[in-house]
Every structure is written in C-alpha cells, then in structure tokens.
Amino acid sequence: MRRWASIFFAGCGLCCTSFSTNNRRRWQHRQQIIVQEGSSSSHQWNHEPFDFSSRIGWDKFYREGNQSSDEQSLDELEYEWHAHIPHSVIVDVLSPTIDANSNTTADDAKLPSILLIGTGNSALPRVLHDAFDTPVKVTCLDYSPVCVEMIKAMYSEICRNMDFVLGDATRLKQAVNDSKYDVIVDKGLLDALMCGEGFDSDLEKLMSGIDEVLTRREWGISILICFQLSTSSKQSLVELASSGKDNASTALFWDFDCPVEGSENGRATFNVARRSSLRENGIVDVDHMITNWS
C-alpha cells in the first residue's frame, strides 16, 4: 500500500511525501528515537545512535549498551522506550480482556495469552506476567538473538508462564507457529521499522500478521505505542485492519491518541485496536478507563 510513503509524524512536524525522500524520512524518524533515548530514565544504557531498523545494530545495543561490570539488578538490565507511558496504563486497558477470556474459557489449561512483539529488554513482560488476578501466558518475541537470550536469562526463572521466541514480527504467523493470542502489544517496534527501507511493505506485513494471530473472539485487543501518527497513517491502519474481511465483526476497530494522564511531556501516543466495536459491545471502554486514571 503506497499510502505509507506519505506518513507524516506530526509530533516533530516531519513529512515524507514520496519514495524519493525516503532517506530524509528515515533520518528524521531516527532523530525522534535518538531524542527519546536521550530522555529515557534508563540511564544505564549508553550507546552511540545506530540504524534502528538493523538487526546488527540491535544486537550491538543489547550486547554493549550496558557496560557495567558489577552485578546488576533487573531494573538495571531493563530499558524502556517511551518510558513516560506507565505500565499501569497498559495493565488497566488489558484487564477487561483478560477477565473476559478467563470467564469464558472452558479449558482451564488455556491461560489468557499476551504476545509482545519487538519486546526488547523492557520490564513490561515481567509486569504483565504478574499484573492480573488470573495467571496469564506471556510470549516475548524479538528478532535479535542477543536480546532473546538476555531476557530469557532475566525472566525465565521468575516468570514460569513466559515464553521467548526468536522471530521476525513482519512474518508473525510463521514466527509463532500459527498460535493465537488474546492480546498483542507493540511498544516501539513500529518506530524502528519506520527507520528502514521498504517500510511500507514491512508495515503491511506487520499489521497483516497481527490480524492473523490475534484471536477472533470479541475481547481480542492490540495496543500500539509509537510516535505520533498523521491522519493518513491512521487511515492506512484502518484500511489494513478492514481490508479483505468477509465478516465485519472480526475486523479491528481503532482508537487513536487515547489520552494518558501524566504522559503530556512525552512524544509517544497510546493507540488501541480491538475486535469488537467499543460502542456496540462495550467490551473495552478505553475512553472511560484512560480518562479516569489518577
């Protein structure tokens, strides 16, 4: 879909209007990530800016980002992109989905499932693993083998319902072996993809994969935390979510730029897509939950 060539990131007033300006677009988006990285509270991780769409660059980030030779706690090993979006916000938005699944699942052995794509070394998998009244299955997917081995060492012993998958999110169905998930979370992956060539194709593959592996049940929900999207970007996401769907009830319904209290000084936006229409089924009342957080 060529529309991705005209994505406009309003947060920085940056516009790319054709494939001939892709180099400028990638450089501009890269600067956004550098600015966010410089403002992160995860000060332990020092590194030179790199190609954020490069697997080699990410391998080096995880291998060399933290140079401390001392024994480190988990919070020193964890690094947060878009740290101004509290993890508690994500937990609150997902809670109705987790509850809906656990209340209707006949098979007690099948836990509510959460897939994090482009997981990185965020604390979010650990937080989600322990956040709910009912146990959940958390799957961490990343295409950097260094990252996957790192988070496996960090979490495998303390999070018994957590899996670690080395795979490409733009080939999601293949990466997770056709598994289905009740929740999918992207916290920063879309931003990294935007820094590379062929971003339009990668984004279509990413969104198609999310649609394929997200449950068709009404509680299915996908969270996207990324830099601010333009109107054309949002329209593209809407079109990708509904294209080729014979049954409108299984399409993804988007809510963009959901307000998150306390995040006003950050550059990221909180976006939610779900299987059921908010006003028709009332499964996930995003507006109510987000605007009433304290």
Side-chain angles (χ1 to χ4, degrees):
M1 182 176 291
R2 294 292 188 181
R3 182 188 297 274
W4 287 111
S6 61
I7 286 178
F8 170 58
F9 289 90
C12 287
L14 308 176
C15 184
C16 169
T17 56
S18 70
F19 283 96
S20 63
T21 59
N22 273 358
N23 287 336
R24 186 167 71 91
R25 178 202 59 78
R26 290 195 299 273
W27 179 87
Q28 290 169 331
H29 198 67
R30 182 169 173 263
Q31 301 314 301
Q32 283 189 293
I33 297 180
I34 291 171
V35 169
Q36 111 86 30
E37 186 275 331
S39 63
S40 172
S41 61
S42 303
H43 58 83
Q44 313 283 354
W45 288 78
N46 299 313
H47 61 85
E48 294 296 324
F50 61 93
D51 180 357
F52 297 103
S53 67
S54 163
R55 183 179 318 203
I56 294 174
W58 284 110
D59 285 345
K60 184 177 180 181
F61 170 80
Y62 296 117
R63 186 182 298 112
E64 303 177 6
N66 194 330
Q67 298 292 337
S68 175
S69 59
D70 300 329
E71 185 175 348
Q72 295 167 304
S73 62
L74 272 182
D75 62 346
E76 291 173 320
L77 291 171
E78 293 164 342
Y79 186 94
E80 297 301 332
W81 300 95
H82 301 313
H84 64 283
I85 301 288
H87 289 159
S88 59
V89 168
I90 302 173
V91 171
D92 286 348
V93 170
L94 296 186
S95 290
T97 287
I98 301 302
D99 291 343
N101 174 279
S102 59
N103 291 335
T104 59
T105 300
D107 183 1
D108 292 337
K110 188 180 184 304
L111 300 177
S113 54
I114 301 173
L115 172 65
L116 295 100
I117 54 176
T119 305
N121 54 330
S122 167
L124 185 58
R126 172 172 59 87
V127 170
L128 294 178
H129 182 273
D130 300 328
F132 307 100
D133 293 335
T134 183
V136 297
K137 186 75 171 180
V138 176
T139 299
C140 304
L141 182 142
D142 205 285
Y143 80 161
S144 165
V146 180
C147 172
V148 172
E149 289 304 311
M150 178 183 183
I151 58 175
K152 186 184 296 185
M154 291 163 61
Y155 298 140
S156 60
E157 292 187 4
I158 62 174
C159 301
R160 63 186 183 92
N161 294 324
M162 188 176 291
D163 290 333
F164 308 90
V165 177
L166 177 64
D168 186 346
T170 63
R171 296 169 176 82
L172 198 52
K173 187 177 180 180
Q174 176 183 354
V176 299
N177 295 319
D178 293 336
S179 297
K180 295 287 187 181
Y181 298 88
D182 302 302
V183 173
I184 299 177
V185 180
D186 173 353
K187 184 170 178 273
L189 173 62
L190 185 67
D191 299 318
L193 289 178
M194 288 300 207
C195 295
E197 296 187 31
F199 63 96
D200 58 322
S201 175
D202 283 345
L203 288 171
E204 287 187 48
K205 292 175 183 176
L206 175 65
M207 295 306 163
S208 175
I210 288 174
D211 180 62
E212 287 179 322
V213 306
L214 183 66
T215 180
R216 287 302 199 255
R217 299 298 297 269
E218 66 274 11
W219 59 69
I221 185 171
S222 179
I223 289 180
L224 169 62
I225 298 173
C226 63
F227 291 119
Q228 188 172 3
L229 298 169
S230 70
T231 299
S232 61
S233 303
K234 296 170 186 175
Q235 183 61 37
S236 292
L237 285 173
V238 170
E239 291 178 1
L240 287 170
S242 60
S243 62
K245 302 295 184 302
D246 296 327
N247 186 351
S249 66
T250 63
L252 284 169
F253 296 84
W254 278 99
D255 283 305
F256 295 105
D257 303 324
C258 300
V260 177
E261 187 174 349
S263 68
E264 294 82 2
N265 294 326
R267 292 170 176 259
T269 59
F270 193 95
N271 311 285
V272 180
R274 58 197 173 279
R275 287 295 183 205
S276 63
S277 175
L278 176 67
R279 292 168 181 81
E280 289 179 4
N281 295 295
I283 298 298
V284 183
D285 191 348
V286 175
D287 291 334
H288 170 74
M289 288 188 294
I290 293 180
T291 55
N292 285 280
W293 281 322
S294 59

